[in-house]
Amino acid sequence: MNVVVASHTSFDCDLPEWLHKCLITKSDNDSSDAGIICRAFEFAYKLHAGQVRKSGEPYICHPVAVAGLLRDLGGNGAMIAAGFLHDIVEDTDITIEQIEQIFNPEVRQLVEGVTKLSKFNFSSKTESQAENIRRMFLAMVQDIRVIVVKLADRLHNMRTLEHLADEKRRRIAQETRDIFAPLAHRLGIGRFKWELEDLAFKYLEPESYRQMQDLVAEKRGDRETRLAKVTEVLKARLEQAGIEYSDISGRPKHLYGIYQKMQRQQKEFREIYDLAAIRIVVQTNEECYRALAIVHDEFKPIPGRFKDYIGLPKPNHYQSLHTAVVGFTGRPVELQIRTIEMHHIAEYGIAAHWKYKEKGSNYNQMAPGEEKFTWLRQLVEGQNDLKDAQEYLESVKDNLFADDVYVFTPKGDVIALNPGATTIDFAYRIHTEVGNRCCGARINERMVTLDTKLKNGDIVEIITHKNSHPSLDWLNFARTSAAKNRIRQWYKRSHRDENIARGRDMLEKEMGKTGFESLLKSEPMTQIAQKCNYHSVEDLLAAVGYGEVTLNLVLNRWREVFKAQQSVNNTEIITLPTTSTRVPLPPKRISESPIAGVEGLLYHLAGCCSPIPGEAIIGVVTLRNRGISIHRQGCQNVESVEGDRLVPVSWNPVDSNKGRPQTYPIDVQIEAIDRVGVLKDILSRLSDYSINVRNANVKTANGQPAIIDLGLDLRDRLQLEQVFVQIKKMSDILNIRRVGQVEE
Ligand code: MN
């Protein structure tokens, strides 16, 4: 092997400078870090000889790059050696015992850990999922550096991903986004996380990635000029105050971060990227706060944006002061203020300890007392008690991926979704067509409604039907913008006629049938459409129909047009230019108050106890000029109110000759035996009594009664009592109660 070293100029790959130096200066049989590193390289070089990567490069380039990444992170000799050797056991006849003989137990442990890890296929069958992850965490707990070696391996593979076939590229990129980038995040290794995310972005959404790249390049000059001005001022002020800064600069934002923010906050590129960001690195904690004082003295701080992660570090140990101020051009500038050590922790996470703590500290094994990564320990503690794979998966995923929801397809592929995502988000994530044809879903083999929120570890199966299509109310519970956009798109495209008809119906209901058709064709109607930013009345109707514009907005515009016409004609009745039909008046407000005692006063029914006619009520003068709030007597919220704010009120008798009686919203909760169809039975019973159900929500849990929340519109107490009697009669019903803060 020494022969190889002596003739190092003959290596068929470019060696990085550090390795080159190491090879020249090392002495034989050296057990120092440098010695181990050199021997590991030579060993790997020999064994990988003749192997070629997909890129055409000699295989050795890959372990060399991985070792380099680990060196940059501050890894010791054993870690860097593991970087060289990580593919040896897998690809050659060398055994793990031989590695221990040639090197030492530490190197063996790392190489063994990484070799085991590479056998995991994180998108494999469901049954093996729990086992895979369990083994991964076991490996991590034995030596967390194993994961760091694996992350370096993955990072270099991602950097060279372009050489693989398209299919494989996507799979690896998805796995990187789902598993490895979150892992890097949890270990606090920011620089790995950002690069992994950007590379996954590049291969998973190439179109958007290129777009972001172009946008960033286009705006760079402009942004840098603005930043330079602010940094110049701050530099002068810091120097004046005698604060020694080691760095003050605009900080680059990574592409996927910008993209995610745009998606999450539904904002334009300009709004996100123009948020110039500056980082100030100083020497001590105290200087961080002093620098902050200077920043806030020089520029106006934006309220609500200051965060003290020094006093309250993030779970992955990230520390910094965050604030945002108004810059010179009136645009916001974000600032991070931190010490050098904090900066290293932000970049290197757990590895920062290796890089910057004194030499000889024990990196091996996690010392249970001092190790701060408690989340990891929690994952492994008690894992033997959790025999149920599903249960284990749930606990693991809740811990590791707290930021996202991770669920599985029936085939065991991992899908990451935003917190709060529902089955419909899942369906659209699988494929647009799966979303569009979705008609039901099973979670963990139970039928669920489409608005069911997903939990970590759920196995989700989407049921499709060729005649199914999206429904507008999906927009109420879709969480991801991707799903929302696709639902809207589908509606816009394929349902214009239906939307127009729906919009027409909705408007007709509000405005009355008389003269409606001619109103639609009238000049004022065109004006209304234009006021709502639509070219034609048809466009407006379509927009009303699929919910892009609210009925209220149209009615408000209509009143404006109506009033304008009125002042011109100075008459109650407008004669339309084309017809002589009378324009229906805007819908009337409730003509007569149903409540006695509040004449001429603004009042509203309290949401906490939802009073209905037939019940004893009491008025409360609200503190913020919102008039009188009507509560049920006995409502807990009234108990603490001083006597001088109480107003005696009562229900006026209902005049049954006056058309449709008014109804009041009431929430009830039903406990029922969890059986398919129980909700349907309840709803059909209510509809027999012509009771409108505003909303219905069912919660089920294994072996527990189903909890059904219903929002009903009821006339009065009598009708409410009827509902109770009817529901209680049903066989599967355990209990029904009214929701509200009243002791009954
Ligand atoms: Mn590798």
Side-chain angles (χ1 to χ4, degrees), residues 271-289:
E271 294 172 81
I272 304 283
Y273 190 68
D274 271 11
L275 282 179
I278 290 176
R279 175 180 298 144
I280 301 175
V281 180
V282 295
Q283 310 292 320
T284 65
N285 286 20
E286 192 234 342
E287 280 174 343
C288 290
Y289 292 99

Side-chain angles (χ1 to χ4, degrees), residues 22-209:
C22 191
L23 289 170
I24 292 172
T25 54
K26 77 134 209 164
S27 57
D28 288 343
N29 290 325
D30 194 341
S31 64
S32 71
D33 270 8
I36 290 174
I37 290 168
C38 290
R39 279 192 286 133
F41 165 71
E42 288 155 8
F43 194 67
Y45 186 82
K46 215 176 85 180
L47 286 163
H48 285 303
Q51 290 178 9
V52 177
R53 297 196 92 209
K54 282 268 167 12
S55 61
E57 281 182 313
Y59 194 88
I60 190 69
C61 295
H62 168 64
V64 165
V66 173
L69 283 168
L70 292 165
R71 186 179 169 275
D72 288 345
L73 278 186
N76 68 348
M79 265 185 97
I80 297 170
F84 284 124
L85 302 171
H86 76 271
D87 282 331
I88 290 278
V89 179
E90 182 122 358
D91 296 353
T92 70
D93 295 334
I94 297 293
T95 65
I96 202 70
E97 286 74 23
Q98 284 171 293
I99 298 277
E100 181 167 350
Q101 275 165 23
I102 301 168
F103 298 94
N104 59 37
E106 191 184 356
V107 174
R108 174 208 163 128
Q109 182 170 320
L110 290 170
V111 173
E112 188 173 17
V114 179
T115 307
K116 277 184 190 160
L117 272 187
S118 20
K119 289 194 183 115
F120 297 174
N121 181 358
F122 294 98
S123 50
S124 67
K125 280 164 268 119
T126 317
E127 313 88 73
S128 51
Q129 192 88 39
E131 193 46 36
N132 277 343
I133 290 178
R134 191 199 298 263
R135 276 156 60 198
M136 180 166 79
F137 287 114
L138 254 181
M140 273 168 95
V141 164
Q142 278 161 1
D143 192 334
I144 200 154
R145 295 173 302 166
V146 167
I147 298 297
V148 180
V149 176
K150 181 67 196 170
L151 286 172
D153 176 38
R154 175 52 60 107
L155 180 54
H156 186 251
N157 284 334
M158 284 298 288
R159 283 180 182 172
T160 51
L161 200 61
E162 56 186 336
H163 304 291
L164 297 188
D166 198 52
E167 175 83 355
K168 205 169 177 195
R169 218 151 53 181
R170 286 197 67 83
R171 188 182 61 73
I172 292 175
Q174 189 68 53
E175 190 182 87
T176 299
R177 178 181 282 177
D178 289 347
I179 307 275
F180 290 99
L183 265 176
H185 175 65
R186 286 313 290 259
L187 295 176
I189 311 176
R191 52 171 54 199
F192 275 23
K193 179 210 166 200
W194 297 315
E195 196 178 343
L196 287 170
E197 279 188 345
D198 272 359
L199 287 164
F201 182 33
K202 178 176 169 184
Y203 292 105
L204 290 173
E205 286 125 311
E207 206 50 44
S208 307
Y209 178 83

Side-chain angles (χ1 to χ4, degrees), residues 680-693:
K680 201 181 123 244
D681 290 352
I682 293 171
L683 295 181
S684 79
R685 178 68 60 103
L686 290 170
S687 110
D688 288 344
Y689 286 84
S690 308
I691 288 163
N692 182 44
V693 178

Side-chain angles (χ1 to χ4, degrees), residues 389-623:
Q390 190 62 38
E391 200 179 326
Y392 178 70
L393 258 185
E394 261 162 41
S395 74
V396 162
K397 301 216 142 194
D398 278 342
N399 272 295
L400 179 58
F401 308 119
D403 300 340
D404 274 317
V405 177
Y406 284 76
V407 296
F408 298 111
T409 67
K411 283 183 190 154
D413 293 334
V414 182
I415 305 279
L417 292 160
N418 298 355
T422 57
T423 47
I424 202 71
D425 295 298
F426 178 89
Y428 275 102
R429 171 63 70 80
I430 299 297
H431 196 279
T432 306
E433 272 312 293
V434 173
N436 285 342
R437 299 271 167 255
C438 168
C439 65
R442 273 188 211 104
I443 292 182
N444 305 328
E445 293 173 19
R446 287 171 62 97
M447 282 297 295
V448 295
T449 50
L450 288 175
D451 61 354
T452 305
K453 282 197 180 126
L454 300 178
K455 294 196 300 297
N456 276 321
D458 279 345
I459 299 167
V460 189
E461 186 185 350
I462 298 297
I463 303 157
T464 57
H465 188 275
K466 62 178 175 5
N467 293 333
S468 270
H469 61 74
S471 147
L472 274 185
D473 72 88
W474 291 3
L475 289 173
N476 296 330
F477 48 81
R479 273 288 162 281
T480 55
S481 47
K484 286 183 182 177
N485 288 338
R486 279 164 198 163
I487 296 165
R488 288 203 194 94
Q489 250 172 35
W490 188 87
Y491 249 86
K492 253 186 180 166
R493 216 177 322 116
S494 58
H495 271 235
R496 189 176 153 80
D497 290 349
E498 206 178 301
N499 286 328
I500 292 173
R502 189 204 312 266
R504 183 191 296 262
D505 282 356
M506 287 164 74
L507 217 53
E508 193 183 58
K509 237 182 226 155
E510 282 303 319
M511 294 173 139
K513 262 200 166 73
T514 325
F516 183 72
E517 281 307 318
S518 33
L519 175 72
L520 284 185
K521 292 184 196 110
S522 71
E523 177 56 28
M525 200 62 214
T526 314
Q527 280 178 32
I528 293 164
Q530 279 160 1
K531 271 178 179 279
C532 295
N533 293 325
Y534 292 95
H535 287 301
S536 67
V537 175
E538 264 199 352
D539 284 353
L540 176 66
L541 292 176
V544 170
Y546 88 91
E548 191 174 78
V549 69
T550 65
L551 214 48
N552 249 338
L553 183 84
V554 179
L555 290 173
N556 283 334
R557 296 288 167 274
W558 181 36
R559 289 187 189 105
E560 285 168 22
V561 172
F562 181 75
K563 270 187 198 147
Q565 289 272 354
Q566 216 172 20
S567 62
V568 171
N569 298 357
N570 199 19
T571 164
E572 289 283 331
I573 301 162
I574 312 169
T575 309
L576 296 170
T578 48
T579 69
S580 59
T581 323
R582 179 191 251 242
V583 176
L585 288 167
K588 274 191 180 170
R589 297 245 158 228
I590 305 155
S591 53
E592 205 182 318
S593 162
I595 290 172
V598 293
E599 283 75 19
L601 297 172
L602 192 61
Y603 74 90
H604 64 269
L605 299 178
C608 53
C609 54
S610 312
I612 48 174
E615 288 176 324
I617 49 176
I618 181 94
V620 174
V621 180
T622 58
L623 294 175

